[in-house]
Amino acid sequence: MEAGPVRDSDPDPAHQSEPGQPRDQLETLQQALVEHLKGRGFLRSARIEAAFRAVPRHLFLPGVPPEEVYRDQVIPLKVVDGVCVSSSSQPAIMAIMLEQLGLEPGQHVLEIGAASGYNAALMAHIVGESGSVVTIDIDEDLVEGARAHLEAAGYPQVRVICGDGAQGYPPAAPYDRIILTVAAGDIASPWYEQLKPNGRLLLPLVLRDTQFSVALERRDDHLESVSVRYCAFMMLRGPFTEAGGIFALGPGPEAGPALQLRLNNYQPVDVLALYRALTGPWYDLPSGVLASLHEIHYGFNTWLSQHEPAACSLVAQREHPALAELPWLFKIAGLEIRTTIGVVADNQIALLALPPGWKQPASGNGQSGQTVCEIMVRCFGGAENLARRLLSLLRAWDTAGRPAGWFLFPSDEHLRLRVYPLHVPCPEEPAPERLIFTRRWSRLVIERLSS
């Protein structure tokens, strides 16, 4: 059932209920969720706590059982070709990100990724009548739903725009705060340009196989992080999706965003040519390196990022149909994906693979990431030079004593990120404690701080 508009004669919208659902039961469920978030340490600010207590999530998820609405869980909103492309985020990560955003009354906010409109309502409650919230989404059906939900919940002042979030929303700029509730691999120039000099940009930033919720503030010529947390979000959709070196691979739209090529540094690629290569003839180069998949994913992955500008990873959701054609992707314990790493250049690709016929142990036995096997370098098509380059790097990592990677699982409290627009010289150089990724619009510097 779609929530209807609020009229002057309606009761308090925060306590409206679904048919057959007592209001006091909804109130009890909502407040129990808030207590859960407080108990876990996700809610620290009184303003944010008040917003969670006041804004009824069930009005943004009509038709979902209230017991599900008020669990601390993500709820899918839209599925395309079997792939979820929009959801109402888990309340815990919403609370974490709102704490990172640091909203104040009277501020002007742009949200990219409207989804159900719930997060926009929370922000509207915090900034108050003297502030403003604009939320933008690429899908008209989500925009229409968010508008109806916001109206029903008593927040009609929130502007809901249908458009490409990568362009921001110039008519209401500049903004004190810009927040993305979808992941991106780069900082689009409009976000930088539409942010006030003392403003803050918050986004789930993809750095190869990891996402960080990063709160960035403007400095003289760059953005610098003031807060970094782990997160996992769906990717930004639209023309900008491929701007940060993250490409959806497949024979057509049905492949969706679930099979992704993620580049260390941006380069244009022919996604159809690469997909044909991946599903075409190949041969393996034995490496002589015996290692566990845990060592490869969490150790060699960082080594490759530091030593090879053309490093890449290939990532697929486990249920993705492409897995029938790519059964050799690694299963990493604790991750709901299959993946491997390698090198891509000039629309050719070489990747690490398991030995043909080698059966990876089931993840449930606790050994799937620790069992040792010989790591192969798989050459697709005519990419022998790339394959030998990857082979040389793998052996160099082995010879160097297999240094453990810090990038993929550090303490997020000991990370700092800087973002330099490409036209601004980057003063940093790569180092053991520092990775530098060059994307289409910016240069990303991620640095491990001493604890």
Side-chain angles (χ1 to χ4, degrees):
M1 169 181 139
E2 189 63 54
V6 176
R7 296 177 175 83
D8 292 341
S9 60
D10 284 343
D12 180 358
H15 298 98
Q16 291 182 43
S17 61
E18 294 287 319
Q21 189 72 39
R23 293 180 186 175
D24 57 349
Q25 183 178 349
L26 290 169
E27 177 73 12
T28 299
L29 290 170
Q30 181 176 352
Q31 302 311 315
L33 173 61
V34 175
E35 292 301 324
H36 166 80
L37 296 176
K38 284 186 67 178
R40 295 287 304 277
F42 300 131
L43 280 176
R44 301 178 182 179
S45 162
R47 288 194 186 100
I48 299 174
E49 178 184 339
F52 273 93
R53 290 196 185 279
V55 180
R57 193 185 189 204
H58 65 271
L59 293 183
F60 295 85
L61 297 165
V64 179
E67 293 78 7
E68 296 296 315
V69 168
Y70 288 110
R71 285 197 180 115
D72 186 21
Q73 64 181 4
V74 61
I75 296 180
L77 296 176
K78 183 173 182 177
V79 176
V80 177
D81 297 317
V83 177
C84 184
V85 297
S86 182
S87 66
S88 178
S89 299
Q90 182 182 1
I93 189 61
M94 297 175 75
I96 289 169
M97 293 180 72
L98 288 173
E99 296 282 0
Q100 288 182 285
L101 195 58
L103 289 173
E104 300 285 345
Q107 289 185 329
H108 302 283
V109 185
L110 172 65
E111 178 188 43
I112 296 168
S116 71
Y118 178 54
N119 195 62
L122 293 170
M123 294 190 296
H125 189 279
I126 295 168
V127 301
E129 294 182 0
S130 59
S132 68
V133 175
V134 177
T135 185
I136 187 168
D137 207 287
I138 199 169
D139 291 334
E140 183 62 47
D141 57 341
L142 292 174
V143 167
E144 291 176 358
R147 283 196 189 115
H149 303 154
L150 286 159
E151 185 88 11
Y155 296 93
Q157 74 274 24
V158 175
R159 299 176 67 182
V160 189
I161 305 297
C162 186
D164 182 359
Q167 303 303 317
Y169 188 65
Y175 302 98
D176 298 288
R177 298 288 189 267
I178 298 177
I179 176 174
L180 278 73
T181 57
V182 286
D186 200 356
I187 308 299
S189 298
W191 306 337
Y192 195 97
E193 295 161 359
Q194 293 173 29
L195 191 66
K196 288 184 179 180
N198 60 343
R200 182 176 292 188
L201 167 66
L202 175 68
L203 78 159
L205 187 62
V206 181
L207 296 173
R208 284 286 298 282
D209 298 326
T210 303
Q211 287 186 23
F212 297 102
S213 176
V214 185
L216 298 156
E217 291 187 348
R218 296 190 68 157
R219 300 294 184 254
D220 291 338
D221 58 357
H222 67 283
L223 298 171
E224 186 165 324
S225 66
V226 294
S227 175
V228 181
R229 296 290 183 267
Y230 286 121
C231 67
F233 277 80
M234 296 167 191
M235 293 299 301
L236 181 72
R237 290 179 293 133
F240 182 71
T241 303
E242 299 177 353
I246 301 172
F247 296 84
L249 295 185
E254 67 276 7
L259 181 62
Q260 292 178 349
L261 175 71
R262 301 176 181 176
L263 305 182
N264 209 30
N265 293 320
Y266 176 77
Q267 58 176 291
V269 299
D270 184 334
V271 293
L272 290 179
L274 279 176
Y275 188 78
R276 283 195 297 268
L278 287 171
T279 54
W282 53 264
Y283 62 91
D284 283 342
L285 299 177
S287 69
V289 175
L290 300 177
S292 70
L293 301 186
H294 189 275
E295 288 178 293
I296 293 297
H297 187 71
Y298 293 112
F300 180 61
N301 207 346
T302 301
W303 176 275
L304 194 63
S305 293
Q306 291 172 324
H307 292 83
E308 175 52 68
C312 72
S313 60
L314 189 68
V315 179
Q317 291 182 355
R318 288 184 179 178
E319 70 277 10
H320 193 264
L323 292 178
E325 305 243 13
L326 307 173
W328 40 268
L329 291 172
F330 300 161
K331 292 183 291 185
I332 305 298
L335 299 180
E336 293 302 317
I337 59 173
R338 290 179 185 259
T339 185
T340 187
I341 53 179
V343 181
V344 62
D346 300 323
N347 292 315
Q348 295 183 322
I349 192 166
L351 298 165
L352 299 187
L354 301 173
W358 189 81
K359 299 296 184 182
Q360 185 173 349
S363 57
N365 64 13
Q367 300 297 318
S368 63
Q370 303 298 334
T371 305
V372 170
C373 67
E374 182 178 11
I375 305 301
M376 314 299 283
V377 175
R378 186 153 295 181
C379 176
F380 296 91
E384 183 168 351
N385 288 339
L386 277 185
R388 295 200 175 279
R389 197 156 97 200
L390 179 58
L391 179 63
S392 176
L393 285 161
L394 179 62
R395 288 173 173 169
W397 167 75
D398 184 47
T399 301
R402 304 187 181 189
W406 60 269
F407 168 54
L408 292 176
F409 59 116
S411 167
D412 51 14
E413 296 179 354
H414 298 131
L415 291 179
R416 178 172 62 197
L417 283 91
R418 296 188 183 94
V419 181
Y420 295 88
L422 283 187
H423 66 272
V424 174
C426 177
E428 281 90 5
E429 296 290 337
E433 72 284 353
R434 184 184 304 120
L435 299 178
I436 300 178
F437 296 161
T438 301
R439 300 291 164 83
R440 187 172 187 177
W441 307 109
S442 57
R443 191 169 287 108
L444 313 177
V445 180
I446 178 170
E447 190 170 20
R448 179 181 57 183
L449 304 177
S450 56
S451 56

